[in-house]
DNA sequence: GGTTAGCACTCACTGGGTGCGAGTGCTAAC
DNA sequence: GTTAGCACTCGCACCCAGTGAGTGCTAACC
């Protein structure tokens, strides 16, 4: 199954050209464009072999050849020359990303936008999964006679707060006691562990005096915890798909847009993907509606722990070399900037 | 310029039919479908008059008539019968909206989704403009030796917090003093007033002992304030546009999607619109790319003060009666539920 | 045996031609 | 003022032939 040097060269030329032009590549075109020292007839024979091996296909008898998913896979794995970004490009990216780094969610959103601008594809960024994040403290502060703010601070620096209107009376002392007790009780537990414990029951028995207040607050507490565990998906560049001639078909464009707009499904696919740089091409994607797309994701981390994801989705005919390099650089930049500034972030 | 009863009836029939079918309406079709007691020839004469008056137009000589923007305007203003929603529909909407009312942003996001589901159009919801919201208090809390959480609470109940990494040392006392001083200084000022004051300068002179700490915190403070003033735009149902045959043209679909995806521009258009139920049809829209669209917005309020907006955008051929009724009901519901639960919200 | 020139063949695409049908505008009669 | 009748218009679907890019095969060449 090892291909000859010449076959590889031909395949590389076809994939490269097709990525650029979206037109099926003919043998004569190839022989004229690249001086390989062989005639179009010879190229035809080689192409025929490559087709038999599953690397190329024919839209119809009298058309040129089109690379298959298998060909793209070979291209990505070994034929493709990794694109090294210029210093300007690198600086541009890191400048844009470190600009307003003080807010995690906004930086991630900004990364998605930047990625779609550079690659001209549909991009997405997933905020970190906070499952393993541990509780630092809980603070309940008075706002007015019936309103309090509940604030949950995690070790990563993530903060969540919610304004609650209470139906039972409270005093500042009691609020403070409740905050302290809850902090004492949960400190060091991960957020998902906290969700699993039957909080209300435990509190009822432990701190009887506060039970009514606690009963009022606890359901909200659970709700906030759930909100903290949610990952957010930011997407950008939906309409970039229109610049690909293969999506000039209204039905195809519609299907693509409907797919990427089903955020719940899409988020799930992303969450369940392995970490690191992952490229899945066409039929390698499990999802039915993604059989004509390639999905590239990479993960970034915060203090080496919480993992979020960043990537693009587009037609299988995409500039893999460029896109991979850009995503690589961006995830590095993100991880770096989150490490340096620590938890300097605004939460949701 | 007053139209005869008969002309109005014909016009109403044409607009109604065209909204349903998207097909130009012919005189014979009309005479067969509606028993008006006049022949197709008479209808043709009336149609010809209506065309001269600018209410109808001809795609080409041998096609039926299509309503103009002027006709839609007349239809919306006087011909249309207001659609009264059934009890089931009303209950469905209010149930969906009050479901997770504890979080303002999420409720608004949910409203946008619901609206696009019901109307099958592209919907949007704008979070309230917080310009007039006044400061309640500022609280800066320690997280670890170099990290603090800054929390800004507004009178409406809106809370914003940001984790800051400080480069100067601090003590709990100093943080508390700074919080108290800032609160004292800004309490009762609106958020936009706070932005305008040269905060750093004032603080340098007022509280000399804390100047270094304040200097470190102030730029972030400004940044958070700006974030609190930002309105958020939630949109949903982008791909609904594909269900309209007039957008089967890939160029049109692309233009529409690119327009609504330019969130900055779109947000601006929405912010600058009058409050209350506003319908702009086709060329009544100032924006160039909206000449073939109708935009319907209504505003909801919170405690009778902060105004947000909710609405839809779609082809001029839309079910105005139904859409207007739904939006009306939803804004009422939103205003109501925000009033009842007060500031029971989670901020961003 | 690999390589190449030559040639017949395939097939999408384009553009002109045609018939159909829905609909109009006009006219003359009611 | 209303209506029937009729010529006319024009988009649309369909057919058909010409074009051109590209293939597959064969026979000759190195």
């Amino acid at each position: 199954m090892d291909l000859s040097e010449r076959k590889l060269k031909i395949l590389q030329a076809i994939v490269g050209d097709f990525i650029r032009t979206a037109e099926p590549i003919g043998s004569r075109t190839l022989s004229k464009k690249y001086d390989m020292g062989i005639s179009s007839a010879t190229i035809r024979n080689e192409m025929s072999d490559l087709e038999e091996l599953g690397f190329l296909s024919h839209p119809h008898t009298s058309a040129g050849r089109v690379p298959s998913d298998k060909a793209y896979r070979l291209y990505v794995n070994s034929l493709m020359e990794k694109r090294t970004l210029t210093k300007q490009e690198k600086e541009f990216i890191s400048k844009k990303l470190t600009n307003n780094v003080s807010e995690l969610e906004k930086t991630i959103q900004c990364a998605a936008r930047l990625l779609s601008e550079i690659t001209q594809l549909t991009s997405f960024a997933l905020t970190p999964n906070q499952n393993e994040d541990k509780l630092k403290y809980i603070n309940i502060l008075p706002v007015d006679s019936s309103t309090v703010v509940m604030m949950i601070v995690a070790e990563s620096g993530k903060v969540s707060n919610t304004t609650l209107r209470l139906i039972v009376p409270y005093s500042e002392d009691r609020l403070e006691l409740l905050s302290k007790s809850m902090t004492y009780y949960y400190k060091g537990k991960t957020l998902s562990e906290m969700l699993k414990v039957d909080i209300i029951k435990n509190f009822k028995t432990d701190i009887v005096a506060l039970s009514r207040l606690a009963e009022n607050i606890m359901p909200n507490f659970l709700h906030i915890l759930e909100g903290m565990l949610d990952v957010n998906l930011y997407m950008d560049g939906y309409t970039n798909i229109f610049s690909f001639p293969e999506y000039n078909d209204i039905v195809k464009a519609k299907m693509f847009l409907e797919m990427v707009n089903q955020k719940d499904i899409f988020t799930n696919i992303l969450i369940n993907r392995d970490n690191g740089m992952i490229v899945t091409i066409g039929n390698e994607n499990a999802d039915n509606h993604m059989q004509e797309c390639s999905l590239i994701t990479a993960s970034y981390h915060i203090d080496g722990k919480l993992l979020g994801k960043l990537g693009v989705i587009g037609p299988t005919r995409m500039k893999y070399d460029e896109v991979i390099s850009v995503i690589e650089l961006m995830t590095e930049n993100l991880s770096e900037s989150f490490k340096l500034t620590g938890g300097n972030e605004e939460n949701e």
Side-chain angles (χ1 to χ4, degrees), chain A residues 91-135:
Chain A
E91 271 171 14
F92 177 76
I93 290 175
S94 65
K95 197 179 147 202
K96 284 263 185 181
L97 278 186
T98 47
N99 215 3
N100 59 350
V101 79
S102 64
E103 298 164 38
L104 184 132
E105 297 265 336
K106 285 222 170 117
T107 305
I108 289 166
Q109 197 172 355
C110 168
R113 177 162 312 143
L114 186 61
L115 184 56
S116 80
E117 270 170 23
I118 295 175
T119 62
Q120 290 292 300
L121 293 165
T122 303
S123 68
F124 49 81
L126 208 59
T127 57
N129 181 331
Q130 321 265 342
N131 266 321
E132 297 305 312
D133 206 359
K134 288 177 183 159
L135 182 81

Side-chain angles (χ1 to χ4, degrees), chain A residues 202-257:
Chain A
N202 281 299
F203 260 88
K204 263 191 184 152
T205 50
D206 286 344
I207 325 168
V208 182
L210 292 175
S211 66
R212 281 195 62 207
L213 187 56
E215 254 176 70
N216 195 188
I217 283 178
M218 284 307 162
N220 294 294
F221 177 61
L222 282 176
H223 207 220
I224 303 166
L225 270 184
E226 275 169 6
M228 284 182 87
L229 282 171
D230 276 349
V231 296
N232 274 330
L233 176 68
Y234 295 106
M235 297 192 78
D236 215 304
Y238 291 121
T239 56
N240 284 340
I241 197 67
F242 288 116
S243 61
F244 288 90
E246 47 265 62
Y247 282 86
N248 271 355
D249 179 4
I250 194 94
V251 179
K252 273 193 167 184
K254 181 184 169 179
M255 273 180 48
F256 179 86
L257 287 167

Side-chain angles (χ1 to χ4, degrees), chain A residues 142-175:
Chain A
V143 173
D144 61 36
S145 62
S146 65
T147 315
V148 297
V149 172
M150 181 164 199
M151 184 168 163
I152 303 174
V153 182
E155 279 187 356
S156 72
K158 172 130 182 154
V159 184
S160 173
N161 54 24
T162 310
T163 318
L164 304 176
R165 177 149 296 190
L166 301 184
I167 50 173
V168 294
Y170 69 86
S171 66
E172 280 203 37
D173 289 351
R174 282 203 182 159
L175 279 187

Side-chain angles (χ1 to χ4, degrees), chain A residues 16 29 34 58 73 78 85 90 104 109 131 139 145 150 161 186 191 198 220 222 247 253 338:
Chain A
T29 320
Y34 302 89
H58 246 168
R73 171 51 62 199
S78 41
L85 302 170
K90 283 185 182 174
L104 184 132
Q109 197 172 355
N131 266 321
N139 210 339
S145 62
M150 181 164 199
N161 54 24
Y186 288 117
L191 302 181
D198 185 344
N220 294 294
L222 282 176
Y247 282 86
F338 289 144

